[in-house]
Amino acid sequence: MSANDRELYFHDDFSFYAERDLSLLSGEMPSGAAIGTLQPLSPIMSFDDYLRLDAFDPGELASPELVADGAVNSTNNLTPSTGFGGGTSPASPSSSVPSSSTEAAGEEDTSRGKKDHLKQEEEEMEKDQKLQSKADHDKSKKVSKPKKRGEKRRREPRFAFMTKSEVDHLEDGYRWRKYGQKAVKNSPFPRSYYRCTSPTCLVKKTVERSYQDPAIVVTTYEGKHTHHSPAPARGSTQSLASPPTASTSFRHHHHHYHLMHQPNLHCFLQSPFQGFQFPDCDLLQDTLPSFTHKSQP
DNA sequence: CGTGTTTGACCTGCGC
DNA sequence: GCGCAGGTCAAACACG
């Protein structure tokens, strides 16, 4: 198995891509693929943690080695009540990956990692400037150059996970607005681009199907939600206390699409979507270990 | 009417 | 510099 597989947390129906190489999904990923900035996913951080600003620190992300080695131990601490990590600090303090996970990704990818690191910084800077310029003069539109010459883009930390589903856009409790769709090279399936509808939230995600297994939906998140509660549905005043139909929707989808082969798949999903309520997840303890480290050596 | 989707054009980054 | 591919914009459209 390749080095990339170390960083893949895989279950038959639900997988996390914890690092930077999604080449498994679409064959040979072009070198310029932005997917290269995917961050490693600590096995004891929840999905929601990754989406929320206050709980997310890219610098605290476990290195791939730690992820691989620590997965077994960390999952032992999981309980259904605390969810998938419960937002606690991930991994061990020895996780000395200062800023970019790509640096810890391994020597064989050094140049690529550095490039991604740069790119990430650049795109974050650009994003900030974009926001400012947009607020200052919205008329600048896309034609304007929000970033100064010589300054490079910075990309938010990203991570992806795979879900076997017949629906492309999976409910995750947040509200998304689709802003684009593109055909992807080496894949017959288009990639859809979504943005969180919360005005202050810059989180984006892309959804695409694996061309190798069309049943698998690959969702890539970028950025952190700046709000705890999902964006309210239109005309409603939903709050954290009464979340939207996230769990309902999920369960709906699962019952209709996912549970065909995996009766307790929703428990796997409940782990990363820790903020949501899945009433019948008593199997979580039993299922989590297999979820967290079915990575190939 | 407000919100979300579709879709073609455009921008950006990167490799050659 | 050019071409390609990914990413984004925004007008038009659909829908409740």
Side-chain angles (χ1 to χ4, degrees):
Chain A
M1 275 295 174
S2 69
N4 296 328
D5 295 324
R6 291 180 311 195
E7 298 136 8
L8 171 65
Y9 294 86
F10 184 81
H11 186 271
D12 292 341
D13 277 354
F14 186 86
S15 310
F16 275 110
Y17 277 90
E19 244 289 314
R20 62 208 152 34
D21 200 327
L22 291 182
S23 56
L24 298 179
L25 305 177
S26 56
E28 191 162 11
M29 184 69 68
S31 60
I35 223 83
T37 56
L38 285 170
Q39 295 287 330
L41 182 64
S42 167
I44 62 172
M45 283 189 76
S46 72
F47 175 86
D48 202 37
D49 288 340
Y50 274 83
L51 298 183
R52 285 201 310 248
L53 176 64
D54 60 343
F56 180 76
D57 182 359
E60 290 183 356
L61 288 172
S63 69
E65 291 77 11
L66 284 170
V67 168
D69 295 335
V72 177
N73 290 335
S74 57
T75 53
N76 291 337
N77 299 328
L78 295 173
T79 66
S81 59
T82 56
F84 195 52
T88 57
S89 64
S92 70
S94 61
S95 167
S96 57
V97 189
S99 56
S100 173
S101 65
T102 55
E103 293 178 1
E107 264 92 347
E108 79 266 22
D109 207 15
T110 303
S111 61
R112 170 76 176 279
K114 283 178 182 174
K115 190 176 292 183
D116 287 340
H117 180 50
L118 274 177
K119 196 174 178 183
Q120 186 170 320
E121 293 178 352
E122 295 155 5
E123 291 185 359
E124 274 179 33
M125 291 172 62
E126 188 204 36
K127 199 163 285 178
D128 293 341
Q129 293 175 348
K130 225 171 186 175
L131 267 182
Q132 213 161 5
S133 76
K134 201 163 191 176
D136 290 343
H137 33 285
D138 199 15
K139 54 182 174 287
S140 55
K141 290 167 54 176
K142 60 186 173 185
V143 188
S144 70
K145 307 267 188 178
K147 67 183 171 79
K148 281 185 254 175
R149 201 73 187 141
E151 287 188 351
K152 295 180 181 177
R153 301 178 63 189
R154 210 172 182 181
R155 188 173 282 282
E156 294 287 327
R158 303 209 289 179
F159 68 94
F161 64 91
M162 300 169 63
T163 313
K164 184 170 281 189
S165 170
E166 291 183 10
V167 293
D168 288 341
H169 190 197
L170 299 169
E171 284 292 334
D172 57 9
Y174 291 91
R175 292 176 60 81
W176 302 91
R177 174 187 172 85
K178 187 176 184 177
Y179 66 91
Q181 178 173 306
K182 282 286 283 188
V184 184
K185 193 187 176 187
N186 294 330
S187 174
F189 306 103
R191 176 181 298 155
S192 297
Y193 298 87
Y194 295 89
R195 183 175 291 147
C196 185
T197 58
S198 180
T200 59
C201 188
L202 299 176
V203 176
K204 289 177 285 187
K205 76 173 179 181
T206 64
V207 177
E208 63 182 297
R209 288 195 174 273
S210 167
Y211 96 102
Q212 288 185 335
D213 186 354
I216 293 179
V217 176
V218 183
T219 305
T220 304
Y221 287 86
E222 177 178 342
K224 291 92 71 172
H225 285 289
T226 58
H227 51 101
H228 288 261
S229 59
R234 69 167 123 163
S236 72
T237 54
Q238 281 167 333
S239 67
L240 191 62
S242 59
T245 57
S247 59
T248 306
S249 300
F250 243 112
R251 295 195 59 204
H252 172 80
H253 289 311
H254 299 159
H255 282 300
H256 282 265
Y257 303 106
H258 298 293
L259 296 182
M260 294 181 296
H261 308 296
Q262 302 286 335
N264 54 355
L265 173 65
H266 52 290
C267 288
F268 286 96
L269 287 164
Q270 192 263 356
S271 308
F273 292 89
Q274 167 235 343
F276 306 137
Q277 307 289 322
F278 291 96
D280 48 350
C281 273
D282 294 333
L283 296 174
L284 183 62
Q285 266 180 310
D286 297 331
T287 55
L288 267 177
S290 61
F291 161 72
T292 47
H293 53 84
K294 196 172 177 178
S295 58
Q296 285 81 12

